[in-house]
Amino acid sequence: MSETTETGERPRGARLIQNEATTEIPVHLLFRDDPDPVAVPLRPAVVGTGRTTAPRRMPPRAPARPAPTVDPALEERGGRALPGALGVLGGLAGAAGAVASLGWAGALPQVATEIAGLSRYEGTGLGPAQWAAVAGSGALTLFGFGGLARGRAGRAWVLTLFGRYRGTVRKSGLLWVNPLLLRRRTDVRLRHWRSEPMPVVDANGVALRVVVLVVWRIRDTARAAFGVEDHETYLRECVEADMARVLSQLPADAFHEDAPTLRNAEAVGDLLTRRLAADAEPVGIEVFSAQPTRIEYAPEVAAAMQRRRIAALDAQHRDSVLTSVVDSVEDTVTRLTTRGLVELDDYERKALVKDLTVAFYTGRGE
């Protein structure tokens, strides 16, 4: 049964003003509508200009996932390559030996014998010894000229023999490499890749479009060539997967609170770089930087989020104006009373506070 007063009337409930940024304020303390104040039990609270909710912190690091493993024996090592001048000399020596062998057998054309001054020499004929000399000289010529290769700065040759890795040549200039080895050219320069807009979602499930710039290079040519089918495709798919993981931990915008968001491009880029480097390291790729260059809302939600942003900015402006007005009113009343310029009772103080609040707020609004 509800309590009643001695006159038989029920006591009036306390009318309170309360929002997310302030504590409970009884209405009778501001306005003169209720001459008889009503006692109101207030909860202990800290009055501040901002929200009382705890700000969201950066998400903790996720536990490290097991990194993909590759053949431990698959590691880059130097391949054998000789100066190209040795290959040229060997090829010329082989060609000279083949000509001499043919001349010895008398199988050179007449024009060649006349030039060499052997027109009266008939030769001994193509016997086993002559055939062996011609074959050996021809093989030397093929090996000498067939092994010549041009090494370029920023490029490397990955050498294999019957499917077995035989080393990597990173030298530049004219080189001689065993012609029996299969050579695969690999780009080891510092490279960058700018992605197309990728669809992701933030921590609140809002659709986003993100463009990321990745700076990378091949550190281990053996793993990049044989540890994965296509290292460039693998890197791009890792970028897309890691981007989805990182961006789903934070909201794109915090409209009504001071909390970390995806607008902190440096923090987001550092986290993305660490995760991408960990995923690409087993296949011999070294990632230096992975930075989002553009984070924007998807077209289907861009208009709604823009209106929400404008409303949040307007609310922040109103909150700052109200805080400034309250501080001004408090300072004015305090200075008037402490200096003894006026003597106010509770009723007059409430009236003065109300009038000053309306006057200051109207002036700030204009």
Side-chain angles (χ1 to χ4, degrees):
M1 181 178 296
S2 61
E3 298 180 356
T4 59
T5 61
E6 296 179 357
T7 58
E9 298 179 357
R10 295 183 179 180
R12 292 173 300 173
R15 294 189 293 172
L16 304 177
I17 296 178
Q18 180 182 6
N19 57 21
E20 298 178 356
T22 62
T23 185
E24 298 175 350
I25 304 176
V27 177
H28 69 275
L29 294 182
L30 294 179
F31 306 106
R32 68 185 76 179
D33 297 336
D34 298 323
D36 298 328
V38 180
V40 179
L42 301 180
R43 296 190 302 269
V46 178
V47 180
T49 57
R51 292 184 175 272
T52 58
T53 56
R56 180 184 298 177
R57 299 180 179 178
M58 288 292 292
R61 291 187 181 181
R65 299 174 301 165
T69 58
V70 295
D71 186 0
L74 190 61
E75 187 175 356
E76 179 179 330
R77 59 180 181 272
R80 294 181 179 179
L82 300 177
L86 296 179
V88 174
L89 292 177
L92 293 177
V99 172
S101 299
L102 292 175
W104 176 32
L108 289 177
Q110 183 178 359
V111 177
T113 57
E114 292 178 356
I115 295 176
L118 301 176
S119 57
R120 297 181 180 179
Y121 181 72
E122 297 181 357
T124 59
L126 290 174
Q130 288 76 18
W131 277 114
V134 171
S137 300
L140 180 60
T141 303
L142 293 177
F143 263 75
F145 290 122
L148 293 177
R150 183 179 62 176
R152 297 181 180 180
R155 305 292 179 90
W157 293 106
V158 179
L159 309 178
T160 57
L161 179 62
F162 304 115
R164 183 180 178 182
Y165 175 63
R166 303 297 296 176
T168 299
V169 177
R170 289 178 176 260
K171 300 178 181 180
S172 59
L174 186 61
L175 305 172
W176 184 87
V177 182
N178 187 349
L180 298 179
L181 299 177
L182 180 62
R183 292 171 287 186
R184 178 187 298 183
R185 188 183 294 274
T186 304
D187 192 343
V188 294
R189 296 174 295 179
L190 189 67
R191 304 163 69 181
H192 69 277
W193 172 65
R194 182 185 177 91
S195 70
E196 297 294 331
M198 295 183 295
V200 295
V201 295
D202 67 353
N204 297 327
V206 180
L208 304 174
R209 293 291 185 271
V210 181
V211 178
V212 63
L213 178 66
V214 182
V215 181
W216 62 283
R217 72 177 177 186
I218 295 179
R219 182 181 56 83
D220 193 312
T221 56
R223 292 187 176 184
F226 307 112
V228 67
E229 182 177 0
D230 187 345
H231 62 272
E232 292 188 10
T233 302
Y234 174 81
L235 178 63
R236 295 180 182 180
E237 292 179 352
C238 286
V239 169
E240 185 174 358
D242 291 332
M243 180 64 70
R245 293 177 57 205
V246 171
L247 267 66
S248 63
Q249 299 182 11
L250 293 173
D253 288 293
F255 297 102
H256 300 289
E257 58 186 25
D258 185 13
T261 65
L262 298 179
R263 302 302 176 185
N264 189 352
E266 184 176 359
V268 174
D270 290 344
L271 181 58
L272 178 61
T273 300
R274 290 196 301 267
R275 294 196 173 184
L276 185 59
D279 289 340
E281 192 274 337
V283 296
I285 296 178
E286 185 176 9
V287 177
F288 293 94
S289 173
Q291 296 291 334
T293 59
R294 187 170 74 245
I295 301 178
E296 58 187 14
Y297 291 107
E300 58 270 20
V301 299
M305 300 308 293
Q306 183 67 19
R307 291 193 297 268
R308 185 176 179 184
R309 181 192 296 273
I310 294 175
L313 292 176
D314 182 69
Q316 292 178 0
H317 173 70
R318 291 176 180 273
D319 182 72
S320 63
V321 171
L322 181 59
T323 302
S324 177
V325 168
V326 172
D327 293 341
S328 300
V329 171
E330 180 183 9
D331 181 66
T332 301
V333 175
T334 302
R335 295 173 65 180
L336 289 174
T337 55
T338 55
R339 294 186 180 183
L341 299 179
V342 293
E343 295 182 359
L344 304 174
D345 56 14
D346 292 340
Y347 182 82
E348 293 174 341
R349 183 185 298 274
K350 289 186 294 181
L352 179 60
V353 168
K354 177 181 177 182
D355 295 338
L356 289 177
T357 301
V358 174
F360 287 168
Y361 193 84
T362 303
R364 296 295 176 87
E366 295 176 356

